[in-house]
Amino acid sequence: MVAGAPKAANETVMAVTPLRRLGTPDEVAGACLFLTSDQASFITGQVIDVAGGWLMT
């Protein structure tokens, strides 16, 4: 999603993200796989932010 963004913009995002890096497609896919698995069968009405803590700041 950020591949076409200017390098300075990505650096700014990383600077304010608690994990100090951008997420990967595999990390988003992992959350999706969990939510579609039987392990998540009792989860309802939740928002799971796969954002490296960015939304907490």
Side-chain angles (χ1 to χ4, degrees):
M1 186 170 93
V2 297
K7 184 177 179 181
N10 286 340
E11 289 174 353
T12 299
V13 169
M14 288 187 287
V16 298
T17 301
L19 292 182
R20 300 286 187 245
R21 64 179 181 82
L22 298 175
T24 68
D26 284 342
E27 290 169 323
V28 175
C32 293
L33 285 172
F34 168 71
L35 289 171
T36 59
S37 74
D38 289 339
Q39 292 177 324
S41 65
F42 207 64
I43 295 175
T44 60
Q46 298 299 311
V47 175
I48 299 177
D49 295 317
V50 184
W54 188 73
L55 298 173
M56 297 177 0
T57 59

